[in-house]
C-alpha cells in the first residue's frame, strides 16, 4: 500500500508533507511526498513561502508514479490555481483517488495560497475528488455562506461539489459528514490544548491511509477522527492554539 501526499513543507514538522509522512507511517502505509512549496515557519510564526515551479511538481509526480503503484493520494497546500490545475490533470492521467484538504491559510496566519483560490478548488479539483475535508473557514470560502450553526454546516456540506467532512473544531466539535448526499453528524468533545498545529493535515492524511488499508470512506473518516483526537489528547502536535 503506497500513498502520496502533494503538499507544502512545514520545516517545523507539525503540518504539511513531513507531518503527512509521519501519519502514513503511524497508520502503517508507505508514504511518498510531492513538494509544492517550501515554507519558513514554526507553530507560532509564519515567515515566508517559496513555491516550486509547476513543471518540477509535475516531474516529481511522474518520477514517483513511474515506478510506484499508487491508488490514494491527499493534497494539502497547493498555493496557486495553476498548481491546482496541474494536480487535477495528474489525477485524471493516473486515475488517482484524491482526498483534498482545501488548505488556504496557515494556522499561524500565513498565506498558504497566492490569492483566493476557493474558486479554483471548486472549478478544477473538487469534482474529481473522492472527499474534501474543509474546516469551517475553508467551507465558508468554498460555498460563500457563513457557518455559525449545525444547520449552516449542513447547508454548506450540501453545496460542496464532492463528498465532504466539514470539521467542527470551530463549531463545538460538530463534524458534518456528507457521503453521496447522506449527511451524518459526529460530535467530538473539544479538548483544551495548545497542541493543534497541523491537525487538519493529519486528518486528511489519516483518512487517505485508512482508505489505502481497504476501509470504506465512512469508516476511514471515523477512524481518522479518532486518530487525530488521540493525537491531540496526547500532545503529539505542534504548539499553536488553533482548531481543525
Ligand atoms: O494546516 C495547513 C497547512 C498545510 N500545509 C502547510 C502548512 C499548513 C499550516 O501551517 O504550513 C505547509
Amino acid at each position: 500500500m503506497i500513498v502520496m501526499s502533494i503538499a507544502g513543507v512545514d520545516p517545523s514538522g507539525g503540518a504539511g508533507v513531513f507531518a503527512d509522512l509521519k501519519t502514513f507511517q503511524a497508520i502503517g502505509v508507505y508514504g511518498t511526498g510531492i513538494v509544492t512549496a517550501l515554507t519558513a515557519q514554526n507553530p507560532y510564526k509564519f515567515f515566508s513561502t517559496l513555491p516550486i515551479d509547476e513543471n518540477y511538481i509535475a516531474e516529481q509526480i511522474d518520477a514517483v508514479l513511474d515506478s510506484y503503484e499508487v491508488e490514494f493520494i491527499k493534497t494539502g497546500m497547493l498555493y496557486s490555481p495553476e498548481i491546482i490545475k496541474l494536480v487535477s490533470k495528474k489525477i485524471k492521467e493516473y486515475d488517482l483517488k484524491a482526498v483534498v484538504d482545501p488548505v488556504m491559510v496557515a494556522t499561524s496566519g500565513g498565506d498558504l495560497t497566492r490569492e483566493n483560490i476557493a474558486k479554483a478548488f471548486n472549478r478544477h479539483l473538487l469534482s474529481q475528488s473522492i472527499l474534501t475535508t474543509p474546516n469551517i473557514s475553508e467551507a465558508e470560502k468554498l460555498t460563500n455562506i457563513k457557518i455559525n450553526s449545525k444547520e449552516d454546516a449542513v447547508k454548506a456540506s450540501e453545496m460542496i461539489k464532492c463528498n465532504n467532512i466539514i470539521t467542527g473544531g470551530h463549531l463545538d466539535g460538530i463534524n458534518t459528514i456528507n457521503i453521496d448526499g447522506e449527511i451524518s453528524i459526529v460530535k467530538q468533545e473539544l479538548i483544551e490544548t495548545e497542541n493543534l498545529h497541523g491537525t487538519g493535515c493529519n486528518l486528511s492524511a489519516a483518512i487517505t491511509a485508512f482508505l489505502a488499508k481497504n476501509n470504506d470512506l465512512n469508516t476511514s473518516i471515523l477512524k481518522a477522527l479518532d486518530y487525530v483526537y488521540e493525537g491531540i489528547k496526547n500532545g503529539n502536535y505542534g504548539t499553536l492554539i488553533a482548531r481543525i
Side-chain angles (χ1 to χ4, degrees), residues 8-10 15-16 39 41 77 103 106-107 112 197 201:
V9 166
D10 163 8
T39 68
Q41 63 172 310
M77 174 186 184
V103 170
T107 32
L112 295 173
H197 176 62
C201 300

Side-chain angles (χ1 to χ4, degrees), residues 87-221:
V87 169
S88 156
K89 191 174 124 207
K90 292 295 173 192
I91 287 172
K92 275 190 243 158
E93 184 179 337
Y94 291 101
D95 197 16
L96 301 167
K97 300 194 176 98
V99 174
V100 172
D101 182 7
V103 170
M104 299 180 207
V105 179
T107 32
S108 50
D111 262 343
L112 295 173
T113 58
R114 203 184 59 202
E115 59 208 73
N116 181 348
I117 58 166
K119 208 161 84 185
F121 276 117
N122 279 329
R123 197 172 284 176
H124 304 292
L125 199 51
L126 294 194
S127 56
Q128 311 220 38
S129 308
I130 58 164
L131 181 75
T132 187
T133 62
N135 59 24
I136 296 290
S137 116
E138 290 158 351
E140 287 181 338
K141 292 197 176 87
L142 291 176
T143 59
N144 267 323
I145 66 168
K146 276 267 150 221
I147 302 175
N148 296 311
S149 66
K150 185 168 102 180
E151 289 69 33
D152 294 341
V154 169
K155 192 166 141 207
S157 170
E158 287 169 344
M159 290 170 69
I160 292 173
K161 294 174 190 306
C162 63
N163 294 330
N164 58 80
I165 167 171
I166 302 179
T167 56
H170 286 105
L171 194 66
D172 294 332
I174 296 170
N175 300 292
T176 306
I177 300 169
N178 183 344
I179 298 176
D180 297 330
E182 289 263 330
I183 306 268
S184 55
I185 304 288
V186 175
K187 190 164 180 343
Q188 284 178 304
E189 176 199 336
L190 288 180
I191 302 168
E192 197 63 43
T193 181
E194 298 194 351
N195 301 323
L196 288 158
H197 176 62
T199 44
C201 300
N202 284 284
L203 179 73
S204 52
I207 295 170
T208 307
F210 286 122
L211 284 167
K213 292 183 86 173
N214 272 327
N215 296 280
D216 65 26
L217 194 49
N218 192 51
T219 310
S220 298
I221 292 170

Side-chain angles (χ1 to χ4, degrees), residues 9-92:
V9 166
D10 163 8
S12 58
V17 175
F18 295 167
D20 291 341
L21 292 178
K22 291 186 226 173
T23 295
F24 294 153
Q25 177 87 7
I27 294 172
V29 300
Y30 182 92
T32 62
I34 306 300
V35 176
T36 56
L38 302 176
T39 68
Q41 63 172 310
N42 61 46
Y44 308 104
K45 189 168 172 208
F46 198 93
F47 292 75
S48 64
T49 300
L50 180 68
I52 305 298
D53 183 83
E54 276 140 64
N55 293 325
Y56 203 66
I57 298 171
E59 198 172 330
Q60 293 176 67
I61 296 171
D62 291 338
V64 173
L65 297 181
D66 186 50
S67 75
Y68 286 163
E69 199 66 50
V70 172
E71 183 178 4
F72 293 99
I73 70 164
K74 69 147 277 184
T75 69
M77 174 186 184
L78 296 180
Y79 185 70
S80 69
E82 289 74 26
I83 297 177
I84 288 179
K85 277 188 227 166
L86 166 73
V87 169
S88 156
K89 191 174 124 207
K90 292 295 173 192
I91 287 172
K92 275 190 243 158

